[in-house]
Amino acid sequence: MSKTLAKALQLLRFFTEKNPYWRLDKISEASDLPKATVYRLMKTLEEEGFIQKVSFYQNGVFIDGEMYQLGTRLIELGNMVSSQFEVRGLALPHMRKLQQEFGESVQLIIMDQDEAIYIEKVESDKPVRLYTKIGRRAPLYAGACPRTLLSFLPDEEIQRILQQEKKKYASQTMMDDEQIMKKVKETRELGYSYSQSELEEGTASVGTPIFDRFGEIAAGISVAGFASTVTPEQAEKYASFMWEVCETLSDQLGFSEPYPYVPKITKMGE
């Protein structure tokens, strides 16, 4: 079944902006799969709404149902994905303010399939800066912002995730479940997570949580830089500014409860 699913997904990947229409025989040739196999897979995808047959004129010739294009089911799924990324557009102006305030890189992450994925960033304006690629994935147990997402999941969900295989990325990557759970409880209590040399050697970051209308963790923001500039002593100061942003974003996402962490210093720009 998994091989069949992989083959079906492979067929969907052939539909691109450059090549939006495919004939059965052509996709068989491109995929190096027997025509009968492609037919069965395409029929299933068509029944589920992931592809559809299309009729149109091409070079003066009427092509009646001989070509396939992507189906409307993918539009529905795309809309669901875009709604998850709503926070991206809302957060970017605030992220720029945080970058101006601290001069460090600011990153936005969400959860995807038991991992953290970086979906937006504002780079530091320093000559030597920390570089993070949008789309980068990280484990939830390592790094301040990923661990912020982990910390606000239900305990049983955290235990399930921690049972998965772990990898050591840098000298301070935590591998022990008891140690990670201690950090989780600390993050819940303090309202922020701090990390140093957990994902990359010599780097440090502070992460704070954003909640959605269901009161669940929706995303996390981090201020990240080198360990020499983003120090443990500065973590609460950074977090106080970041809570201001996270409170606003949580409210915009429909979080109806008071944001649980209160800035302890003057607001940004004052």
Side-chain angles (χ1 to χ4, degrees), residues 90-121:
L90 294 173
L92 188 55
H94 300 284
M95 294 171 66
R96 291 189 177 117
K97 289 181 181 179
L98 286 172
Q99 191 280 322
Q100 291 169 5
E101 188 72 37
F102 300 119
E104 305 289 355
S105 297
V106 182
Q107 302 163 143
L108 178 71
I109 68 168
I110 61 171
M111 257 189 73
D112 180 59
Q113 299 179 346
D114 294 345
E115 290 183 306
I117 180 169
Y118 292 75
I119 63 170
E120 190 56 272
K121 65 175 183 176

PDB file of all heavy atoms in Angstrom, residues 90-121:
ATOM      1  N   LEU A  90       0.512  38.126   9.412  1.00  0.00           N
ATOM      2  CA  LEU A  90       0.251  38.942  10.593  1.00  0.00           C
ATOM      3  C   LEU A  90       1.541  39.247  11.360  1.00  0.00           C
ATOM      4  O   LEU A  90       1.717  40.339  11.907  1.00  0.00           O
ATOM      5  CB  LEU A  90      -0.730  38.216  11.518  1.00  0.00           C
ATOM      6  CG  LEU A  90      -2.153  37.996  11.001  1.00  0.00           C
ATOM      7  CD1 LEU A  90      -2.941  37.118  11.970  1.00  0.00           C
ATOM      8  CD2 LEU A  90      -2.868  39.330  10.795  1.00  0.00           C
ATOM      9  N   ALA A  91       2.430  38.272  11.386  1.00  0.00           N
ATOM     10  CA  ALA A  91       3.613  38.397  12.238  1.00  0.00           C
ATOM     11  C   ALA A  91       4.714  39.257  11.643  1.00  0.00           C
ATOM     12  O   ALA A  91       5.482  39.892  12.388  1.00  0.00           O
ATOM     13  CB  ALA A  91       4.168  37.000  12.540  1.00  0.00           C
ATOM     14  N   LEU A  92       4.831  39.307  10.333  1.00  0.00           N
ATOM     15  CA  LEU A  92       5.998  39.923   9.702  1.00  0.00           C
ATOM     16  C   LEU A  92       6.255  41.369  10.138  1.00  0.00           C
ATOM     17  O   LEU A  92       7.402  41.717  10.471  1.00  0.00           O
ATOM     18  CB  LEU A  92       5.880  39.831   8.178  1.00  0.00           C
ATOM     19  CG  LEU A  92       7.104  40.268   7.383  1.00  0.00           C
ATOM     20  CD1 LEU A  92       8.357  39.512   7.833  1.00  0.00           C
ATOM     21  CD2 LEU A  92       6.880  40.064   5.892  1.00  0.00           C
ATOM     22  N   PRO A  93       5.249  42.260  10.183  1.00  0.00           N
ATOM     23  CA  PRO A  93       5.533  43.633  10.638  1.00  0.00           C
ATOM     24  C   PRO A  93       6.071  43.682  12.064  1.00  0.00           C
ATOM     25  O   PRO A  93       6.958  44.484  12.381  1.00  0.00           O
ATOM     26  CB  PRO A  93       4.172  44.332  10.535  1.00  0.00           C
ATOM     27  CG  PRO A  93       3.372  43.502   9.587  1.00  0.00           C
ATOM     28  CD  PRO A  93       3.831  42.102   9.787  1.00  0.00           C
ATOM     29  N   HIS A  94       5.553  42.828  12.922  1.00  0.00           N
ATOM     30  CA  HIS A  94       6.016  42.779  14.311  1.00  0.00           C
ATOM     31  C   HIS A  94       7.430  42.216  14.401  1.00  0.00           C
ATOM     32  O   HIS A  94       8.233  42.643  15.242  1.00  0.00           O
ATOM     33  CB  HIS A  94       5.059  41.934  15.148  1.00  0.00           C
ATOM     34  CG  HIS A  94       3.652  42.461  15.173  1.00  0.00           C
ATOM     35  ND1 HIS A  94       3.273  43.548  15.931  1.00  0.00           N
ATOM     36  CD2 HIS A  94       2.538  42.044  14.518  1.00  0.00           C
ATOM     37  CE1 HIS A  94       1.982  43.782  15.747  1.00  0.00           C
ATOM     38  NE2 HIS A  94       1.517  42.882  14.902  1.00  0.00           N
ATOM     39  N   MET A  95       7.719  41.257  13.549  1.00  0.00           N
ATOM     40  CA  MET A  95       9.057  40.679  13.528  1.00  0.00           C
ATOM     41  C   MET A  95      10.086  41.729  13.124  1.00  0.00           C
ATOM     42  O   MET A  95      11.198  41.768  13.662  1.00  0.00           O
ATOM     43  CB  MET A  95       9.088  39.488  12.571  1.00  0.00           C
ATOM     44  CG  MET A  95       8.240  38.306  13.024  1.00  0.00           C
ATOM     45  SD  MET A  95       8.079  37.024  11.741  1.00  0.00           S
ATOM     46  CE  MET A  95       9.772  36.455  11.612  1.00  0.00           C
ATOM     47  N   ARG A  96       9.708  42.587  12.198  1.00  0.00           N
ATOM     48  CA  ARG A  96      10.622  43.656  11.780  1.00  0.00           C
ATOM     49  C   ARG A  96      10.915  44.610  12.944  1.00  0.00           C
ATOM     50  O   ARG A  96      12.042  45.082  13.112  1.00  0.00           O
ATOM     51  CB  ARG A  96      10.024  44.416  10.598  1.00  0.00           C
ATOM     52  CG  ARG A  96       9.974  43.591   9.308  1.00  0.00           C
ATOM     53  CD  ARG A  96       9.571  44.450   8.121  1.00  0.00           C
ATOM     54  NE  ARG A  96       9.593  43.697   6.874  1.00  0.00           N
ATOM     55  CZ  ARG A  96       8.526  43.464   6.117  1.00  0.00           C
ATOM     56  NH1 ARG A  96       7.346  43.958   6.470  1.00  0.00           N
ATOM     57  NH2 ARG A  96       8.626  42.774   5.004  1.00  0.00           N
ATOM     58  N   LYS A  97       9.881  44.886  13.747  1.00  0.00           N
ATOM     59  CA  LYS A  97      10.084  45.764  14.909  1.00  0.00           C
ATOM     60  C   LYS A  97      11.028  45.122  15.928  1.00  0.00           C
ATOM     61  O   LYS A  97      11.881  45.797  16.507  1.00  0.00           O
ATOM     62  CB  LYS A  97       8.735  46.077  15.562  1.00  0.00           C
ATOM     63  CG  LYS A  97       7.848  47.003  14.736  1.00  0.00           C
ATOM     64  CD  LYS A  97       6.543  47.287  15.466  1.00  0.00           C
ATOM     65  CE  LYS A  97       5.637  48.201  14.641  1.00  0.00           C
ATOM     66  NZ  LYS A  97       4.351  48.459  15.351  1.00  0.00           N
ATOM     67  N   LEU A  98      10.850  43.808  16.128  1.00  0.00           N
ATOM     68  CA  LEU A  98      11.743  43.117  17.056  1.00  0.00           C
ATOM     69  C   LEU A  98      13.181  43.134  16.545  1.00  0.00           C
ATOM     70  O   LEU A  98      14.122  43.320  17.325  1.00  0.00           O
ATOM     71  CB  LEU A  98      11.281  41.658  17.246  1.00  0.00           C
ATOM     72  CG  LEU A  98      10.030  41.440  18.091  1.00  0.00           C
ATOM     73  CD1 LEU A  98       9.590  39.983  18.026  1.00  0.00           C
ATOM     74  CD2 LEU A  98      10.270  41.847  19.546  1.00  0.00           C
ATOM     75  N   GLN A  99      13.352  42.972  15.250  1.00  0.00           N
ATOM     76  CA  GLN A  99      14.692  43.000  14.681  1.00  0.00           C
ATOM     77  C   GLN A  99      15.326  44.375  14.878  1.00  0.00           C
ATOM     78  O   GLN A  99      16.500  44.483  15.226  1.00  0.00           O
ATOM     79  CB  GLN A  99      14.624  42.635  13.187  1.00  0.00           C
ATOM     80  CG  GLN A  99      15.989  42.382  12.544  1.00  0.00           C
ATOM     81  CD  GLN A  99      16.729  43.652  12.185  1.00  0.00           C
ATOM     82  OE1 GLN A  99      16.120  44.630  11.735  1.00  0.00           O
ATOM     83  NE2 GLN A  99      18.036  43.656  12.410  1.00  0.00           N
ATOM     84  N   GLN A 100      14.537  45.423  14.676  1.00  0.00           N
ATOM     85  CA  GLN A 100      15.049  46.784  14.865  1.00  0.00           C
ATOM     86  C   GLN A 100      15.391  47.042  16.331  1.00  0.00           C
ATOM     87  O   GLN A 100      16.344  47.765  16.648  1.00  0.00           O
ATOM     88  CB  GLN A 100      14.016  47.797  14.375  1.00  0.00           C
ATOM     89  CG  GLN A 100      13.825  47.788  12.855  1.00  0.00           C
ATOM     90  CD  GLN A 100      12.632  48.598  12.404  1.00  0.00           C
ATOM     91  OE1 GLN A 100      11.970  49.255  13.213  1.00  0.00           O
ATOM     92  NE2 GLN A 100      12.325  48.559  11.112  1.00  0.00           N
ATOM     93  N   GLU A 101      14.601  46.451  17.220  1.00  0.00           N
ATOM     94  CA  GLU A 101      14.813  46.650  18.655  1.00  0.00           C
ATOM     95  C   GLU A 101      16.119  46.014  19.134  1.00  0.00           C
ATOM     96  O   GLU A 101      16.877  46.595  19.909  1.00  0.00           O
ATOM     97  CB  GLU A 101      13.641  46.054  19.437  1.00  0.00           C
ATOM     98  CG  GLU A 101      13.644  46.346  20.912  1.00  0.00           C
ATOM     99  CD  GLU A 101      13.315  47.796  21.241  1.00  0.00           C
ATOM    100  OE1 GLU A 101      12.464  48.401  20.570  1.00  0.00           O
ATOM    101  OE2 GLU A 101      13.930  48.311  22.201  1.00  0.00           O
ATOM    102  N   PHE A 102      16.381  44.785  18.646  1.00  0.00           N
ATOM    103  CA  PHE A 102      17.516  44.020  19.166  1.00  0.00           C
ATOM    104  C   PHE A 102      18.675  43.884  18.188  1.00  0.00           C
ATOM    105  O   PHE A 102      19.786  43.547  18.594  1.00  0.00           O
ATOM    106  CB  PHE A 102      17.053  42.612  19.583  1.00  0.00           C
ATOM    107  CG  PHE A 102      16.003  42.627  20.657  1.00  0.00           C
ATOM    108  CD1 PHE A 102      14.745  42.088  20.421  1.00  0.00           C
ATOM    109  CD2 PHE A 102      16.261  43.175  21.899  1.00  0.00           C
ATOM    110  CE1 PHE A 102      13.771  42.093  21.407  1.00  0.00           C
ATOM    111  CE2 PHE A 102      15.297  43.188  22.893  1.00  0.00           C
ATOM    112  CZ  PHE A 102      14.047  42.658  22.646  1.00  0.00           C
ATOM    113  N   GLY A 103      18.417  44.088  16.902  1.00  0.00           N
ATOM    114  CA  GLY A 103      19.479  43.920  15.916  1.00  0.00           C
ATOM    115  C   GLY A 103      19.814  42.481  15.607  1.00  0.00           C
ATOM    116  O   GLY A 103      20.784  42.200  14.890  1.00  0.00           O
ATOM    117  N   GLU A 104      19.019  41.543  16.131  1.00  0.00           N
ATOM    118  CA  GLU A 104      19.252  40.127  15.901  1.00  0.00           C
ATOM    119  C   GLU A 104      18.240  39.573  14.896  1.00  0.00           C
ATOM    120  O   GLU A 104      17.256  40.235  14.560  1.00  0.00           O
ATOM    121  CB  GLU A 104      19.151  39.341  17.221  1.00  0.00           C
ATOM    122  CG  GLU A 104      20.052  39.829  18.336  1.00  0.00           C
ATOM    123  CD  GLU A 104      21.534  39.529  18.096  1.00  0.00           C
ATOM    124  OE1 GLU A 104      21.854  38.847  17.094  1.00  0.00           O
ATOM    125  OE2 GLU A 104      22.373  39.989  18.889  1.00  0.00           O
ATOM    126  N   SER A 105      18.476  38.356  14.433  1.00  0.00           N
ATOM    127  CA  SER A 105      17.541  37.701  13.538  1.00  0.00           C
ATOM    128  C   SER A 105      16.270  37.322  14.291  1.00  0.00           C
ATOM    129  O   SER A 105      16.327  36.956  15.471  1.00  0.00           O
ATOM    130  CB  SER A 105      18.171  36.439  12.941  1.00  0.00           C
ATOM    131  OG  SER A 105      19.294  36.758  12.164  1.00  0.00           O
ATOM    132  N   VAL A 106      15.128  37.410  13.611  1.00  0.00           N
ATOM    133  CA  VAL A 106      13.846  37.046  14.204  1.00  0.00           C
ATOM    134  C   VAL A 106      13.199  35.991  13.306  1.00  0.00           C
ATOM    135  O   VAL A 106      13.172  36.145  12.083  1.00  0.00           O
ATOM    136  CB  VAL A 106      12.918  38.267  14.343  1.00  0.00           C
ATOM    137  CG1 VAL A 106      11.604  37.875  15.004  1.00  0.00           C
ATOM    138  CG2 VAL A 106      13.610  39.356  15.149  1.00  0.00           C
ATOM    139  N   GLN A 107      12.683  34.934  13.920  1.00  0.00           N
ATOM    140  CA  GLN A 107      12.179  33.795  13.164  1.00  0.00           C
ATOM    141  C   GLN A 107      10.791  33.400  13.648  1.00  0.00           C
ATOM    142  O   GLN A 107      10.469  33.572  14.829  1.00  0.00           O
ATOM    143  CB  GLN A 107      13.146  32.605  13.304  1.00  0.00           C
ATOM    144  CG  GLN A 107      14.545  32.941  12.844  1.00  0.00           C
ATOM    145  CD  GLN A 107      15.604  31.974  13.328  1.00  0.00           C
ATOM    146  OE1 GLN A 107      16.529  31.674  12.616  1.00  0.00           O
ATOM    147  NE2 GLN A 107      15.460  31.489  14.548  1.00  0.00           N
ATOM    148  N   LEU A 108      10.002  32.875  12.730  1.00  0.00           N
ATOM    149  CA  LEU A 108       8.652  32.402  13.035  1.00  0.00           C
ATOM    150  C   LEU A 108       8.565  30.935  12.645  1.00  0.00           C
ATOM    151  O   LEU A 108       8.935  30.562  11.528  1.00  0.00           O
ATOM    152  CB  LEU A 108       7.623  33.214  12.249  1.00  0.00           C
ATOM    153  CG  LEU A 108       6.146  32.813  12.425  1.00  0.00           C
ATOM    154  CD1 LEU A 108       5.652  33.191  13.817  1.00  0.00           C
ATOM    155  CD2 LEU A 108       5.292  33.491  11.359  1.00  0.00           C
ATOM    156  N   ILE A 109       8.074  30.093  13.550  1.00  0.00           N
ATOM    157  CA  ILE A 109       7.965  28.668  13.251  1.00  0.00           C
ATOM    158  C   ILE A 109       6.589  28.137  13.627  1.00  0.00           C
ATOM    159  O   ILE A 109       5.893  28.702  14.481  1.00  0.00           O
ATOM    160  CB  ILE A 109       9.049  27.836  13.977  1.00  0.00           C
ATOM    161  CG1 ILE A 109       8.820  27.822  15.494  1.00  0.00           C
ATOM    162  CG2 ILE A 109      10.440  28.349  13.664  1.00  0.00           C
ATOM    163  CD1 ILE A 109       9.656  26.815  16.215  1.00  0.00           C
ATOM    164  N   ILE A 110       6.207  27.063  12.950  1.00  0.00           N
ATOM    165  CA  ILE A 110       4.995  26.326  13.288  1.00  0.00           C
ATOM    166  C   ILE A 110       5.347  24.848  13.360  1.00  0.00           C
ATOM    167  O   ILE A 110       6.432  24.428  12.952  1.00  0.00           O
ATOM    168  CB  ILE A 110       3.862  26.549  12.266  1.00  0.00           C
ATOM    169  CG1 ILE A 110       4.290  26.059  10.878  1.00  0.00           C
ATOM    170  CG2 ILE A 110       3.439  28.011  12.226  1.00  0.00           C
ATOM    171  CD1 ILE A 110       3.173  26.032   9.860  1.00  0.00           C
ATOM    172  N   MET A 111       4.411  24.044  13.845  1.00  0.00           N
ATOM    173  CA  MET A 111       4.595  22.608  13.883  1.00  0.00           C
ATOM    174  C   MET A 111       4.111  21.978  12.597  1.00  0.00           C
ATOM    175  O   MET A 111       3.101  22.381  12.040  1.00  0.00           O
ATOM    176  CB  MET A 111       3.800  22.002  15.049  1.00  0.00           C
ATOM    177  CG  MET A 111       4.626  21.620  16.245  1.00  0.00           C
ATOM    178  SD  MET A 111       3.652  20.690  17.458  1.00  0.00           S
ATOM    179  CE  MET A 111       3.505  19.109  16.609  1.00  0.00           C
ATOM    180  N   ASP A 112       4.834  20.959  12.136  1.00  0.00           N
ATOM    181  CA  ASP A 112       4.406  20.191  10.979  1.00  0.00           C
ATOM    182  C   ASP A 112       4.948  18.774  11.121  1.00  0.00           C
ATOM    183  O   ASP A 112       6.156  18.565  11.114  1.00  0.00           O
ATOM    184  CB  ASP A 112       4.917  20.821   9.678  1.00  0.00           C
ATOM    185  CG  ASP A 112       4.481  20.049   8.448  1.00  0.00           C
ATOM    186  OD1 ASP A 112       3.263  19.911   8.247  1.00  0.00           O
ATOM    187  OD2 ASP A 112       5.344  19.579   7.684  1.00  0.00           O
ATOM    188  N   GLN A 113       4.037  17.812  11.304  1.00  0.00           N
ATOM    189  CA  GLN A 113       4.409  16.403  11.386  1.00  0.00           C
ATOM    190  C   GLN A 113       5.490  16.149  12.438  1.00  0.00           C
ATOM    191  O   GLN A 113       6.549  15.577  12.158  1.00  0.00           O
ATOM    192  CB  GLN A 113       4.863  15.893  10.020  1.00  0.00           C
ATOM    193  CG  GLN A 113       3.771  15.984   8.955  1.00  0.00           C
ATOM    194  CD  GLN A 113       4.236  15.496   7.594  1.00  0.00           C
ATOM    195  OE1 GLN A 113       5.426  15.331   7.354  1.00  0.00           O
ATOM    196  NE2 GLN A 113       3.299  15.264   6.697  1.00  0.00           N
ATOM    197  N   ASP A 114       5.231  16.583  13.644  1.00  0.00           N
ATOM    198  CA  ASP A 114       6.111  16.356  14.790  1.00  0.00           C
ATOM    199  C   ASP A 114       7.470  17.048  14.650  1.00  0.00           C
ATOM    200  O   ASP A 114       8.448  16.676  15.306  1.00  0.00           O
ATOM    201  CB  ASP A 114       6.337  14.859  15.043  1.00  0.00           C
ATOM    202  CG  ASP A 114       5.071  14.151  15.480  1.00  0.00           C
ATOM    203  OD1 ASP A 114       4.108  14.838  15.865  1.00  0.00           O
ATOM    204  OD2 ASP A 114       5.041  12.904  15.440  1.00  0.00           O
ATOM    205  N   GLU A 115       7.546  18.058  13.782  1.00  0.00           N
ATOM    206  CA  GLU A 115       8.763  18.850  13.649  1.00  0.00           C
ATOM    207  C   GLU A 115       8.401  20.328  13.668  1.00  0.00           C
ATOM    208  O   GLU A 115       7.241  20.700  13.483  1.00  0.00           O
ATOM    209  CB  GLU A 115       9.484  18.533  12.340  1.00  0.00           C
ATOM    210  CG  GLU A 115      10.115  17.168  12.265  1.00  0.00           C
ATOM    211  CD  GLU A 115      10.856  16.965  10.965  1.00  0.00           C
ATOM    212  OE1 GLU A 115      10.239  17.155   9.891  1.00  0.00           O
ATOM    213  OE2 GLU A 115      12.057  16.618  11.014  1.00  0.00           O
ATOM    214  N   ALA A 116       9.415  21.146  13.871  1.00  0.00           N
ATOM    215  CA  ALA A 116       9.249  22.589  13.715  1.00  0.00           C
ATOM    216  C   ALA A 116       9.702  22.967  12.314  1.00  0.00           C
ATOM    217  O   ALA A 116      10.698  22.437  11.812  1.00  0.00           O
ATOM    218  CB  ALA A 116      10.083  23.333  14.749  1.00  0.00           C
ATOM    219  N   ILE A 117       8.957  23.868  11.676  1.00  0.00           N
ATOM    220  CA  ILE A 117       9.357  24.351  10.363  1.00  0.00           C
ATOM    221  C   ILE A 117       9.378  25.870  10.376  1.00  0.00           C
ATOM    222  O   ILE A 117       8.457  26.514  10.875  1.00  0.00           O
ATOM    223  CB  ILE A 117       8.438  23.804   9.250  1.00  0.00           C
ATOM    224  CG1 ILE A 117       8.879  24.330   7.874  1.00  0.00           C
ATOM    225  CG2 ILE A 117       6.975  24.148   9.510  1.00  0.00           C
ATOM    226  CD1 ILE A 117       8.203  23.643   6.710  1.00  0.00           C
ATOM    227  N   TYR A 118      10.450  26.448   9.869  1.00  0.00           N
ATOM    228  CA  TYR A 118      10.622  27.900   9.842  1.00  0.00           C
ATOM    229  C   TYR A 118       9.866  28.455   8.635  1.00  0.00           C
ATOM    230  O   TYR A 118      10.169  28.103   7.497  1.00  0.00           O
ATOM    231  CB  TYR A 118      12.106  28.255   9.754  1.00  0.00           C
ATOM    232  CG  TYR A 118      12.890  27.898  10.996  1.00  0.00           C
ATOM    233  CD1 TYR A 118      13.221  26.572  11.277  1.00  0.00           C
ATOM    234  CD2 TYR A 118      13.299  28.872  11.895  1.00  0.00           C
ATOM    235  CE1 TYR A 118      13.931  26.227  12.425  1.00  0.00           C
ATOM    236  CE2 TYR A 118      14.005  28.547  13.042  1.00  0.00           C
ATOM    237  CZ  TYR A 118      14.319  27.219  13.301  1.00  0.00           C
ATOM    238  OH  TYR A 118      15.018  26.889  14.441  1.00  0.00           O
ATOM    239  N   ILE A 119       8.876  29.321   8.892  1.00  0.00           N
ATOM    240  CA  ILE A 119       8.036  29.813   7.797  1.00  0.00           C
ATOM    241  C   ILE A 119       8.242  31.300   7.489  1.00  0.00           C
ATOM    242  O   ILE A 119       7.763  31.782   6.471  1.00  0.00           O
ATOM    243  CB  ILE A 119       6.545  29.551   8.074  1.00  0.00           C
ATOM    244  CG1 ILE A 119       6.058  30.311   9.315  1.00  0.00           C
ATOM    245  CG2 ILE A 119       6.270  28.064   8.194  1.00  0.00           C
ATOM    246  CD1 ILE A 119       4.552  30.269   9.497  1.00  0.00           C
ATOM    247  N   GLU A 120       8.948  32.016   8.335  1.00  0.00           N
ATOM    248  CA  GLU A 120       9.254  33.431   8.065  1.00  0.00           C
ATOM    249  C   GLU A 120      10.475  33.828   8.873  1.00  0.00           C
ATOM    250  O   GLU A 120      10.780  33.226   9.914  1.00  0.00           O
ATOM    251  CB  GLU A 120       8.062  34.314   8.418  1.00  0.00           C
ATOM    252  CG  GLU A 120       8.190  35.766   7.952  1.00  0.00           C
ATOM    253  CD  GLU A 120       8.442  35.897   6.466  1.00  0.00           C
ATOM    254  OE1 GLU A 120       9.635  35.878   6.090  1.00  0.00           O
ATOM    255  OE2 GLU A 120       7.464  36.000   5.690  1.00  0.00           O
ATOM    256  N   LYS A 121      11.192  34.837   8.376  1.00  0.00           N
ATOM    257  CA  LYS A 121      12.379  35.328   9.096  1.00  0.00           C
ATOM    258  C   LYS A 121      12.646  36.774   8.718  1.00  0.00           C
ATOM    259  O   LYS A 121      12.243  37.247   7.650  1.00  0.00           O
ATOM    260  CB  LYS A 121      13.595  34.470   8.746  1.00  0.00           C
ATOM    261  CG  LYS A 121      13.990  34.591   7.272  1.00  0.00           C
ATOM    262  CD  LYS A 121      15.271  33.842   6.973  1.00  0.00           C
ATOM    263  CE  LYS A 121      15.671  34.044   5.500  1.00  0.00           C
ATOM    264  NZ  LYS A 121      16.949  33.413   5.180  1.00  0.00           N
TER     265      LYS A 121
END
